[in-house]
Amino acid sequence: MGKTLSVVVSCYNEEMALEQFYEETAGILKKLPWSYELIFINDGSQDGTMRVLDLLAGRDEHVKVISFSRNFGHEAAMIAGLDYSSGDGIVCMDADLQHPPEYLSQILEKFEAGYDVINMVRTKNESAGWFKNLASSAFYHLINLLSDVKFEPNASDFFAVSGRAAKVLKESYREKVRFLRGYVQSIGFNRTTIEYEAGTRVAGESKYSIKKLITLSLNTIMCFSNLPLKLGIYAGAGAGLLGVLMMIYTIWSWARVGTPNGYATTIVLICFMFAVLFLIVGVIGNYIAILFAELKDRPIYIVGETKNFKE
Ligand code: UDP
Ligand code: MG
């Protein structure tokens, strides 16, 4: 039996882009030596995304659809796609054609060559704007500094994993607060990268707000590093040192001038100490929130309906 490629595409309000995405991607997939399935996840879209997906699934049996009961986010959608996929290789990509389907043949070659994890690395991303690009590079520097897992800078949600790598992701990485890209980088196996140029969105607008990105970044840092949790130790040491310096200064100025200006010093110290204290309480609070989410063990996603899946 020939091999199968699963292409996982998460869609949130993508009715404008989907037809074109399907035409281009299916056109390329048809020419590849592997058979394929095209899995679309409707992540609780409010527009006509489901209508378009219904049409596509009716027209082409390669098209399979998972529809969530509400919006669970891009990460949950990719996980659902992995869960439902049955291919020997699985590719995750965006629905807006920013991840060019032309690269699918190169990805297939890498699978044939025995690679398990193929990271697609952006060489440039003009449409994101300087702020997003700067923030993204700062984020990768920070996380690489703090975490044992080495993250590929400019890695994107465009990546491919072999069947056995996908099995690991499906079975062992069911965290509620998560960063799929990080797991992909940390599972090992034979890894390789392909560089690509991110295109511009074909239609509609970006679904990732700055707020969503900040939340994702903070959670990722905390999921992949325990260093912030140890901030208290450093802050305690720093504050202790500061206290000693202040004491020396006070004694010194008392010896020289007679009466030191205690009031200003006290206010400065109190503000500084409380700032440090609250910061650390906040950091610990965030870790507890993550623990709480894991403890509650709520589903990562809820499926409302599926189309064209066998069983
Ligand atoms: N997406 C999703 N659920 C969401 C937000 C986004 O499934 O809650 C999908 C979206 O439809 C697209 C992909 O994630 O296929 C990437 O989103 P987008 O293109 O808006 O992000 P950007 O490329 O601007 O970072
Ligand atoms: Mg996009």
Side-chain angles (χ1 to χ4, degrees), residues 14 94-99 127 201 205-208:
E14 299 284 5
D94 287 358
D96 56 7
L97 285 172
Q98 280 193 288
H99 299 159
S127 67
R201 195 170 233 295
E205 53 197 37
S206 175
K207 273 66 185 184
Y208 265 106

Side-chain angles (χ1 to χ4, degrees), residues 35-296:
S35 65
Y36 66 92
E37 58 178 357
L38 197 47
I39 304 176
F40 289 98
I41 298 95
N42 172 24
D43 185 13
S45 303
Q46 285 107 31
D47 67 351
T49 296
M50 199 52 206
R51 200 184 58 239
V52 181
L53 290 178
D54 268 338
L55 273 170
L56 295 177
R59 223 195 294 163
D60 181 351
E61 60 174 8
H62 291 106
V63 172
K64 301 179 178 178
V65 181
I66 303 162
S67 184
F68 284 176
S69 62
R70 62 167 167 84
N71 181 253
F72 281 90
H74 187 193
E75 294 261 319
M78 288 188 289
I79 291 171
L82 283 171
D83 288 345
Y84 279 74
S85 66
S86 56
D88 304 280
I90 296 118
V91 186
C92 284
M93 55 200 296
D94 287 358
D96 56 7
L97 285 172
Q98 280 193 288
H99 299 159
E102 293 80 48
Y103 287 91
L104 287 169
S105 65
Q106 283 188 42
I107 291 175
L108 213 74
E109 279 164 24
K110 296 284 186 194
F111 277 138
E112 296 276 16
Y115 287 106
D116 289 283
V117 176
I118 303 154
N119 276 304
M120 304 298 293
V121 178
R122 263 190 313 249
T123 51
K124 74 177 179 218
N125 189 1
E126 280 166 349
S127 67
W130 66 270
F131 180 75
K132 259 193 178 177
N133 282 336
L134 188 77
S136 154
S137 107
F139 166 74
Y140 277 110
H141 275 102
L142 187 65
I143 188 95
N144 275 332
L145 204 70
L146 294 179
S147 170
D148 298 335
V149 177
K150 283 294 155 256
F151 286 77
E152 192 74 57
N154 297 322
S156 55
D157 288 316
F158 190 13
F159 63 86
V161 287
S162 67
R164 66 171 178 167
K167 190 161 174 277
V168 175
L169 292 175
K170 282 186 218 181
E171 287 171 4
S172 312
Y173 284 85
R174 310 303 297 183
E175 287 160 53
K176 308 292 178 260
V177 182
R178 77 222 142 224
F179 190 53
L180 194 53
R181 239 180 281 176
Y183 306 153
V184 171
Q185 318 252 342
S186 64
I187 54 173
F189 293 120
N190 308 321
R191 291 166 46 173
T192 184
T193 53
I194 299 178
E195 290 192 342
Y196 78 100
E197 231 172 78
T200 45
R201 195 170 233 295
V202 283
E205 53 197 37
S206 175
K207 273 66 185 184
Y208 265 106
S209 60
I210 296 289
K211 189 168 160 244
K212 264 190 194 170
L213 284 174
I214 291 176
T215 313
L216 185 68
S217 309
L218 282 182
N219 282 339
T220 302
I221 288 172
M222 299 206 170
C223 283
F224 282 89
S225 168
N226 285 334
L227 220 57
L229 210 46
K230 294 171 189 152
L231 223 56
I233 299 169
Y234 302 118
L241 186 69
L242 190 72
V244 171
L245 290 177
M246 286 311 286
M247 196 175 68
I248 294 170
Y249 168 75
T250 310
I251 294 172
W252 174 78
S253 64
W254 172 70
R256 270 195 55 178
V257 198
T259 46
N261 182 359
Y263 179 71
T265 318
T266 312
I267 296 295
V268 168
L269 269 183
I270 287 179
C271 288
F272 176 75
M273 292 299 179
F274 271 102
V276 172
L277 194 62
F278 283 134
L279 179 79
I280 290 161
V281 171
V283 168
I284 295 172
N286 207 353
Y287 276 97
I288 294 177
I290 293 173
L291 280 177
F292 192 40
E294 301 298 336
L295 203 67
K296 284 186 286 192

